[in-house]
Amino acid sequence: MQSSINRDGVLPLDPDDLVAEGEPPFADAATENAREKADDDLNVLQHEVRLLRARIGMLREDAEAALKAKATSVDANAHVQLGDYPWAKLAAAMCAAFVATRLVRRLALGVMLTGFAGQLSEARRWH
């Protein structure tokens, strides 16, 4: 703040001369400037949040498009490898594997070992 007395030793007539340059003339003015700066900062942050939300939305759309394209590609590959109704054919193969597993489990272990032992003895005779 400038001195209240000028070079001549006289108080200035204009009260604005008592305030240094860049210094608010009243205490309320500093609060208003801080509030304006805070409001400006808030507006900038809100604008950045809107931009980030828009970018996130675009990324979501891109991810959805990529997933749909991948699903389409997988479906096309399944049709190429398995022909028409590939999922039905896969389901039938899984059911057949399940039934075969159940049948093997029901066979007596002794019957399977006897058959295997017969195969081993035949193999020894040839060597």
Side-chain angles (χ1 to χ4, degrees):
M1 192 170 202
Q2 292 178 348
S3 170
S4 5
I5 300 175
N6 61 16
R7 282 189 238 158
D8 300 327
V10 181
L11 286 173
L13 296 176
D14 189 9
D16 289 338
D17 290 343
L18 292 173
V19 178
E21 212 173 301
E23 203 175 288
F26 305 105
D28 293 346
T31 306
E32 288 178 19
N33 286 341
R35 187 171 293 137
E36 287 174 5
K37 183 173 178 354
D39 287 342
D40 290 342
D41 289 344
L42 179 63
N43 288 336
V44 168
L45 288 174
Q46 287 174 339
H47 179 70
E48 288 179 8
V49 166
R50 284 192 299 270
L51 288 176
L52 288 173
R53 285 184 178 157
R55 288 180 184 159
I56 288 172
M58 289 183 344
L59 288 174
R60 281 185 182 154
E61 289 173 4
D62 289 347
E64 287 175 8
L67 286 174
K68 286 178 183 177
K70 183 66 176 173
T72 303
S73 171
V74 167
D75 189 48
N77 286 339
H79 281 284
V80 168
Q81 292 176 3
L82 299 173
D84 293 334
Y85 307 108
W87 307 116
K89 290 179 182 177
L90 283 175
M94 288 171 49
C95 287
F98 177 77
V99 169
T101 302
R102 286 290 187 166
L103 288 176
V104 168
R105 283 187 180 174
R106 285 191 181 178
L107 288 177
L109 186 60
V111 173
M112 289 190 333
L113 288 177
T114 304
F116 184 64
Q119 291 289 335
L120 282 177
S121 65
E122 285 293 319
R124 286 186 185 171
R125 289 185 190 162
W126 288 101
H127 288 288

